[in-house]
Amino acid sequence: FDIVEFDRLYAYGTHEDLDIVEDAIRPFMHRRKPIDVVSQFFQIAHLHGLLRRLDNATMMCSVEARVPFVDCHTLIERMAGVPFEYRLCQGVIKAPLKRIFSDYIPARIIAREKIGFPVPLEIMPWGSAANGSPMDQWLEFNMRELMGSV
């Protein structure tokens, strides 16, 4: 297991503090194979955080979100027992899902690159000189984005 490579591939931020990455991954280091370390980290620690943030964000906006493949614990348990080479066939991430749905989903969607949810960090109000509390700044930012200006 190469912590520098893990940081390069999966960590957010500046990649300057491997102690934090090492601390996050430590509970999973008892696994023998690097892919098992990474899989366990994402299935237990990272997924839990993502789902919590999704839940909080959608509840704040009165939106109901669904995460269909995560709700299907039998799929997750089944895939955990499948060899890595099957899950990542010829460098294709999520190869089994892409094979299964290739007759139903257009190839341009199946083959497209994964992108994150774009957040315009350069215009976020954190640390700005604007008056008011951070919550006031956040509200003003959202109103400006939704309505054009306040």
Side-chain angles (χ1 to χ4, degrees):
F1 183 81
D2 183 346
I3 194 130
V4 173
E5 186 68 1
F6 179 85
D7 178 61
R8 186 184 73 74
L9 291 170
Y10 304 114
Y12 304 107
T14 62
H15 308 285
E16 294 175 359
D17 198 346
L18 289 179
D19 290 340
I20 293 171
V21 175
E22 191 173 26
D23 191 48
I25 208 81
R26 183 174 293 120
F28 311 101
M29 291 302 292
H30 66 280
R31 298 294 186 175
R32 291 189 177 172
K33 295 193 289 187
I35 187 60
D36 293 335
V37 172
V38 173
S39 293
Q40 283 276 272
F41 169 75
F42 278 103
Q43 288 174 11
I44 295 170
H46 190 63
L47 181 61
H48 178 72
L50 288 175
L51 292 175
R52 186 176 54 243
R53 286 193 299 276
L54 173 72
D55 193 41
N56 289 339
T58 56
M59 283 191 305
M60 284 176 33
C61 299
S62 297
V63 173
E64 185 70 27
R66 295 283 183 236
V67 188
F69 292 120
V70 175
D71 287 344
C72 185
H73 67 90
T74 53
L75 174 64
I76 294 169
E77 290 167 356
R78 171 69 178 114
M79 291 310 293
V82 171
F84 178 70
E85 294 73 26
Y86 179 78
R87 290 184 272 162
L88 185 76
C89 183
Q90 298 175 349
V92 175
I93 297 169
K94 299 179 185 174
L97 283 174
K98 291 178 180 185
R99 278 193 299 270
I100 291 167
F101 289 105
S102 64
D103 291 339
Y104 306 100
I105 298 175
R108 64 181 171 75
I109 292 174
I110 288 179
R112 73 181 171 193
E113 247 182 71
K114 182 177 178 177
I115 58 168
F117 185 75
V119 177
L121 294 175
E122 68 280 356
I123 61 171
M124 296 300 265
W126 328 131
S128 71
N131 293 330
S133 71
M135 186 57 83
D136 291 336
Q137 293 174 31
W138 177 243
L139 178 60
E140 184 180 331
F141 167 77
N142 281 292
M143 293 302 290
R144 204 172 39 249
E145 290 298 305
L146 291 171
M147 312 282 278
S149 70
V150 179

